[in-house]
Amino acid sequence: MSAELTATRAARFANWNVAIIAITVVVLIVAAATVDNFGTSQNFGFLVLDVLPIAIIALPMTLVIVTGEIDLSVASTLGLSSAVMGYLWNANQPIETIIPLCLLLGAVLGAVNGFFVTVLGLPSLAVTIGTLALYRGLAFVVLGDSAVADFPPAYTNWVTGTIGSSPIPNVLIIIVVLAVVFGVVLHATPIGRAVFAVGASEQAARFAGVRPGRLKFWLYVASGLVSGLAGVLWTLRYSSARADNGAGLELAVVAAVLLGGVSIFGGKGALPGVIAGVVLLGSLQNALRLSDVSNEALNVVTGVLLIASVLGPNLANRLRRT
Amino acid sequence: MTAVGLSAPRRSSLDVVLRARELGIVIALAVLVLVTAISNSRFLSGQSIRDILLNTAILAVLAVGQAVVVITRNIDLSVGSVLGLSAFTVGTLLQGNNLPVVLALLVGAGVGVVCGALNGVLVRYGNVPALVVTLGTLYVVRGVTYFWAGGSQINADELPSGFLDFGNATLIGIPYLVLLAVLVLVVTGVVLRSYRMGRELYAMGSSPHAARLAGIPVGRRTVGAFVVSGGLAGLAGVLFAARFGTIDAAAGTGYELNVVAAVVVGGVAVFGGSGTVWGAALGALLLTTIGSALAVLEINQFWQQAIVGALILLAIGADRLVATRVAASLKKRGSHVS
């Protein structure tokens, strides 16, 4: 009885979700206390802009991974959305038409992934490695290796600007709104319960009346849509549409999600942990950069964190058992 | 019936499927070469073929290692980073020193073996999925290389001529690099096909649980597969250094996706248990040939990546189709009881 009690208590203690949030808070406090300029409002703005694409793409990615699938094509969708934005802007289309079109494009690209994974029943890892190459290739076909700049200042300024005279960046609104939407969907609706059910056992979920295929299809659409949005925001932030925008970002997104305690096998995970994972990754990189640690050394930190985040709970469990 | 895959009727139909898979790539390759050669005879010039073979050699060595890991239902995303670390290590070692080429090959492979062992041990003892572990080591190994190299670059004129000769010299018209790649391919292919150790890797990929019940040392074999993949990535790093002569910390960045693409196009199932290193090597040859063909046909090079992506989707789609057909025909014939 008491052993059982200790075990559950230990399990609760081992909850990576709580741990990662605690670690993130500690890192933020230590960084603010020891790193010059980390705590400034200006740096806060940079930090938010830097994590923006990872933060929003990680939200649908969390749901996709919880169902036991993966989407490696997100960064290429971002790039293709950015390239099309540049192409249409060069063709003198109004920005008010371009932005919805790019979002639609993202959704369509996501639907293509969804079609291959759910209708044809192909493994998502292979499918999205394929579309990773395909979408990035199409981005280069659309825009070549040129860059399109001079987007309307009203839009670029909004993306890099802050709310009124406060230090809160405008784009934080987008992050918060999306986080709330995905958080509510995952943790407070039947859709969210279906996501966890499918991840735990697709067979059982089907018996319980869930349609795993349809669910996954729409999750891929959501993933594409958000990646398309990330492409638009990326383009406006740097005022530069390029086919190689966001190249390699898919790995950072997956790293942030796994760091946030989502199981790569599906069925387990929570959005607060993922948001903490994104903040942890972003603020560590920001703090180390401010301390003149090279960008490349940050890669080591990211990698070690990623492995530790999965290895840690496993080892803790094993030690407790012995 | 514990080992269904070894019963006679199943085996033969499986063989047909495997042959069909590789036949598909061979046909695609033949059509590609034919069309390109007709529109531009320069494509079949000695120099052009030599370039294709040299580039294929590096990709094929990586693809063989990747195939071994994928067959066991794992994946190794760290190969591009390991190639970079190995190339830079060997480059640094050879800078101004005229060491024998064999030593360079051993050092490079050794660097890879250490990285592969790290991956394998983390996967095996940490109970962590290979995708996560090798995504992590992709960052770590690349970071270590950058940390070490900084912004520096090793140029061809700092490398001993003996080593650069190795990258370009030929034996009866065939480059050493290609011979080495073929050697790796044949040895790995034969071990996978005809030796117990190799067959155990397939068994693990088909069903890790059944493999464990059958007494296969799954843990040791998993570490072994990663060591092979790492060692070959390290070897590929030496080939990279010999071929290009210019090495910086970014060498091999993004290679992991080309390698996985070659393996998938080559008919190795991402969920393990089937596929051959011959297919993977053919996949590498096809991908490299597409690159050269596009250049010769004066088609926008940017199409290459899109074509690679479409090919992956086509390959796994066709694979699925064949698998469903075979399953259906087996069911109809009722030739085996499970």
Side-chain angles (χ1 to χ4, degrees):
Chain A
M1 178 71 183
S2 85
E4 206 175 88
L5 202 68
T6 331
T8 47
R9 212 177 279 159
R12 208 172 296 150
F13 187 68
N15 188 335
W16 185 255
N17 231 322
V18 176
I20 195 81
I21 293 172
I23 293 172
T24 307
V25 171
V26 170
V27 164
L28 285 175
I29 292 171
V30 170
T34 60
V35 179
D36 287 343
N37 297 327
F38 182 82
T40 62
S41 60
Q42 197 192 14
N43 187 52
F44 176 66
F46 285 139
L47 205 159
V48 170
L49 278 173
D50 281 344
V51 300
L52 169 67
I54 297 181
I56 61 175
I57 299 176
L59 300 170
M61 182 72 86
T62 300
L63 273 65
V64 170
I65 295 183
V66 169
T67 63
E69 305 289 347
I70 198 162
D71 185 355
L72 292 180
S73 72
V74 286
S76 296
T77 302
L78 185 161
L80 183 48
S81 155
S82 178
V84 166
M85 193 170 165
Y87 178 82
L88 292 175
W89 182 247
N90 259 357
N92 292 320
Q93 297 298 312
I95 192 95
E96 290 77 16
T97 333
I98 295 177
I99 293 178
L101 276 178
C102 286
L103 299 186
L104 181 68
L105 172 73
V108 170
L109 297 178
V112 171
N113 283 330
F115 173 80
F116 278 108
V117 173
T118 63
V119 180
L120 299 187
L122 300 173
S124 58
L125 184 67
V127 167
T128 56
I129 283 179
T131 50
L132 180 157
L134 179 64
Y135 297 166
R136 183 66 72 187
L138 291 178
F140 275 103
V141 171
V142 168
L143 206 58
D145 47 14
S146 62
V148 180
D150 69 340
F151 288 96
Y155 284 82
T156 54
N157 287 344
W158 186 85
V159 170
T160 51
T162 57
I163 302 173
S165 55
S166 72
I168 302 164
N170 288 325
V171 290
L172 194 61
I173 305 173
I174 298 179
I175 299 180
V176 169
V177 168
L178 284 177
V180 168
V181 168
F182 280 99
V184 168
V185 167
L186 183 64
H187 294 298
T189 66
I191 300 175
R193 284 193 290 280
V195 167
F196 281 108
V198 168
S201 164
E202 198 166 324
Q203 191 79 23
R206 191 173 285 123
F207 286 140
V210 176
R211 290 198 206 162
R214 211 172 60 165
L215 179 71
K216 286 179 185 173
F217 179 84
W218 288 109
L219 289 184
Y220 276 104
V221 172
S223 176
L225 179 66
V226 172
S227 304
L229 172 66
V232 170
L233 293 172
W234 184 296
T235 310
L236 291 175
R237 183 204 169 176
Y238 296 102
S239 195
S240 167
R242 292 179 56 92
D244 64 353
N245 275 350
L249 199 73
E250 65 279 345
L251 297 182
V253 172
V254 173
V257 171
L258 298 179
L259 203 57
V262 177
S263 162
I264 190 82
F265 297 119
K268 281 190 209 109
L271 267 190
V274 170
I275 291 163
V278 171
V279 174
L280 177 61
L281 207 61
S283 46
L284 258 183
Q285 296 203 335
N286 181 283
L288 291 175
R289 214 173 285 145
L290 285 176
S291 330
D292 282 332
V293 174
S294 72
N295 243 338
E296 291 71 30
L298 296 181
N299 279 344
V300 181
V301 176
T302 309
V304 170
L305 262 180
L306 177 59
I307 296 173
S309 71
V310 193
L311 203 59
N314 274 351
L315 288 184
N317 277 336
R318 190 172 292 187
L319 283 179
R320 204 168 295 122
R321 247 179 268 137
T322 52
Chain B
M1 285 292 263
T2 44
V4 182
L6 295 179
S7 68
R10 182 73 180 268
R11 176 78 183 257
S12 64
S13 52
L14 194 68
D15 265 353
V16 173
V17 176
L18 290 179
R19 215 173 290 143
R21 270 183 187 166
E22 278 137 31
L23 198 65
I25 317 171
V26 173
I27 292 172
L29 199 56
V31 171
L32 178 68
V33 170
L34 202 69
V35 170
T36 317
I38 289 172
S39 51
N40 191 331
S41 58
R42 205 156 38 91
F43 184 62
L44 287 184
S45 73
Q47 184 57 42
S48 162
I49 292 177
R50 210 173 137 263
D51 280 343
I52 291 178
L53 289 180
L54 281 174
N55 290 340
T56 303
I58 297 171
L59 190 58
V61 168
L62 289 168
V64 166
Q66 187 72 246
V68 171
V69 170
V70 172
I71 283 170
T72 66
R73 207 184 270 197
N74 285 297
I75 195 163
D76 186 353
L77 293 180
S78 70
V79 287
S81 300
V82 173
L83 182 149
L85 180 61
S86 154
F88 197 79
T89 308
V90 169
T92 309
L93 195 69
L94 290 176
Q95 240 172 353
N97 294 321
N98 206 354
L99 298 170
V101 173
V102 179
L103 188 70
L105 288 171
L106 288 177
V107 168
V111 168
V113 163
V114 171
C115 297
L118 177 69
N119 282 330
V121 166
L122 285 172
V123 170
R124 160 78 175 82
Y125 295 99
N127 267 329
V128 184
L131 186 72
V132 183
V133 166
T134 58
L135 182 59
T137 50
L138 177 154
Y139 284 114
V140 173
V141 174
R142 180 67 65 193
V144 167
T145 313
Y146 268 107
F147 209 52
W148 180 18
S152 73
Q153 179 178 322
I154 296 167
N155 294 313
D157 57 10
E158 299 168 65
L159 296 174
S161 55
F163 183 66
L164 295 172
D165 285 346
F166 165 72
N168 291 303
T170 59
L171 186 73
I172 29 170
I174 306 168
Y176 281 122
L177 261 53
V178 175
L179 290 174
L180 200 62
V182 170
L183 181 71
V184 165
L185 176 63
V186 169
V187 169
T188 319
V190 168
V191 170
L192 279 180
R193 204 179 82 93
S194 311
Y195 284 81
R196 183 188 172 121
M197 204 195 301
R199 303 315 303 172
E200 288 179 347
L201 297 183
Y202 284 96
M204 285 161 54
S206 299
S207 169
H209 187 64
R212 192 165 282 125
L213 290 179
I216 295 171
V218 172
R220 220 183 321 148
R221 292 283 174 270
T222 305
V223 177
F226 277 103
V227 166
V228 169
S229 171
L232 291 181
L235 193 65
V238 186
L239 303 190
F240 183 97
R243 163 107 173 92
F244 297 107
T246 312
I247 313 148
D248 61 12
T253 303
Y255 265 41
E256 58 280 348
L257 292 174
N258 288 334
V259 176
V260 173
V263 168
V264 170
V265 168
V268 181
V270 271
F271 285 138
S274 72
T276 62
V277 289
W278 320 107
L282 276 174
L285 180 61
L286 181 63
L287 295 193
T288 314
T289 311
I290 289 172
S292 305
L294 289 179
V296 168
L297 294 174
E298 285 168 12
I299 295 175
N300 188 342
Q301 276 287 304
F302 297 132
W303 276 104
Q304 184 177 350
Q305 213 176 1
I307 292 174
V308 169
L311 258 185
I312 297 175
L313 294 175
L314 197 70
I316 54 174
D319 189 46
R320 176 75 178 192
L321 197 71
V322 174
T324 337
R325 282 256 179 89
V326 170
S329 78
L330 280 177
K331 213 177 270 174
K332 218 176 286 167
R333 218 188 310 154
S335 60
H336 82 317
V337 194
S338 54

